[in-house]
Amino acid sequence: AQSVTQLGSHVSVSEGALVLLRCNYSSSVPPYLFWYVQYPNQGLQLLLKYTSAATLVKGINGFEAEFKKSETSFHLTKPSAHMSDAAEYFCAVGPGGYNKLIFGAGTRLAVHP
Amino acid sequence: KAGVTQTPRYLIKTRGQQVTLSCSPISGHRSVSWYQQTPGQGLQFLFEYFSETQRNKGNFPGRFSGRQFSNSRSEMNVSTLELGDSALYLCASSLAASGTANEKLFFGSGTQLSVL
């Protein structure tokens, strides 16, 4: 069965610092991998997706993620945090499509001045 | 283009009652998926509809059901509500059903259901 583990339920960074949110997956087949962001009182918004076309995936708002098969990881990074990046981030795996996703528990990112 | 619309935004019910939530997908989108979000269990897939047919189903009891209409609008119903059903219910739409590449999910803002 597929699963997703997000290391760290809360991450706090200073404005301008590197953001690193960790995600490891378990999948018996080549996965589709996603990062979503959820702002307070809103639904989820897709940041980026991996579909085997390239291991380094660039998304919106300056985020990117690198697929490492050997480490079964798909960590999300952003070189310089902005106050507006404060939100909850979810890593998800799709077993073969985009509609039935298995989500990680989420990481709440706090950005302080 | 309007986004995914979920109604109502908030709902308060008591144990034993039933509830119906509504989701209007983005115009042209034929797939609608439902997810339950709780602090304890996180985001869990409920079911997915495509062209009025349920294509995928998560591990939820039969009290949770759904349907999709010919205009792609979807409803989900929860009967005999339990306290544990309190959650944010999210609807997501996409152009195609699961298994099709190059499509992504667009989420609504959700319906916050509180069961007292």
Side-chain angles (χ1 to χ4, degrees):
Chain A
Q2 294 184 314
S3 64
V4 174
T5 302
Q6 290 184 242
L7 298 175
S9 58
H10 291 81
V11 170
S12 181
V13 300
S14 300
E15 191 173 21
L18 170 72
V19 175
L20 171 60
L21 305 181
R22 301 178 186 273
C23 172
N24 287 88
Y25 69 91
S26 169
S27 175
S28 58
V29 298
Y32 292 88
L33 291 162
F34 311 79
W35 276 99
Y36 281 86
V37 60
Q38 186 177 33
Y39 297 100
N41 300 314
Q42 293 187 28
L44 280 72
Q45 180 183 8
L46 180 67
L47 280 176
L48 49 83
K49 60 184 180 184
Y50 166 76
T51 57
S52 77
T55 57
L56 183 62
V57 182
K58 293 187 183 299
I60 62 172
N61 301 340
F63 284 94
E64 63 180 37
E66 186 173 8
F67 173 71
K68 292 187 176 181
K69 186 177 179 180
S70 60
E71 299 177 7
T72 60
S73 68
F74 191 58
H75 301 332
L76 182 71
T77 60
K78 182 174 180 178
S80 177
H82 192 272
M83 297 296 288
S84 62
D85 294 327
E88 190 154 20
Y89 292 79
F90 293 91
C91 181
V93 61
Y98 285 66
N99 298 47
K100 182 178 180 179
L101 299 180
I102 298 167
F103 284 89
T107 297
R108 189 169 298 277
L109 175 66
V111 182
H112 51 86
Chain B
K1 191 182 257 190
V4 178
T5 303
Q6 290 188 246
T7 56
R9 184 72 178 89
Y10 299 95
L11 206 51
I12 300 175
K13 293 287 187 179
T14 57
R15 280 182 299 172
Q17 287 186 309
Q18 75 164 24
V19 66
T20 299
L21 312 181
S22 179
C23 172
S24 294
I26 292 172
S27 177
H29 284 194
R30 298 170 63 190
S31 171
V32 174
S33 305
W34 289 89
Y35 288 82
Q36 181 196 64
Q37 185 176 23
T38 60
Q41 299 297 317
L43 280 153
Q44 293 185 286
F45 172 80
L46 279 156
F47 29 63
E48 180 220 357
Y49 288 87
F50 180 78
S51 294
E52 303 179 65
T53 301
Q54 187 180 90
R55 299 294 292 265
N56 285 300
K57 191 177 189 304
N59 295 323
F60 278 82
R63 299 185 297 107
F64 292 82
S65 63
R67 59 177 176 170
Q68 187 180 34
F69 302 96
S70 59
N71 62 357
S72 294
R73 190 178 70 85
S74 177
E75 289 181 347
M76 69 163 281
N77 184 278
V78 188
S79 62
T80 319
L81 283 166
E82 300 177 0
L83 295 178
D85 297 333
S86 295
L88 179 66
Y89 290 89
L90 292 165
C91 165
S93 77
S94 70
L95 281 169
S98 59
T100 303
N102 300 319
E103 297 298 337
K104 68 179 184 180
L105 295 180
F106 294 83
F107 283 83
S109 296
T111 293
Q112 183 67 54
L113 171 64
S114 297
V115 182
L116 306 179

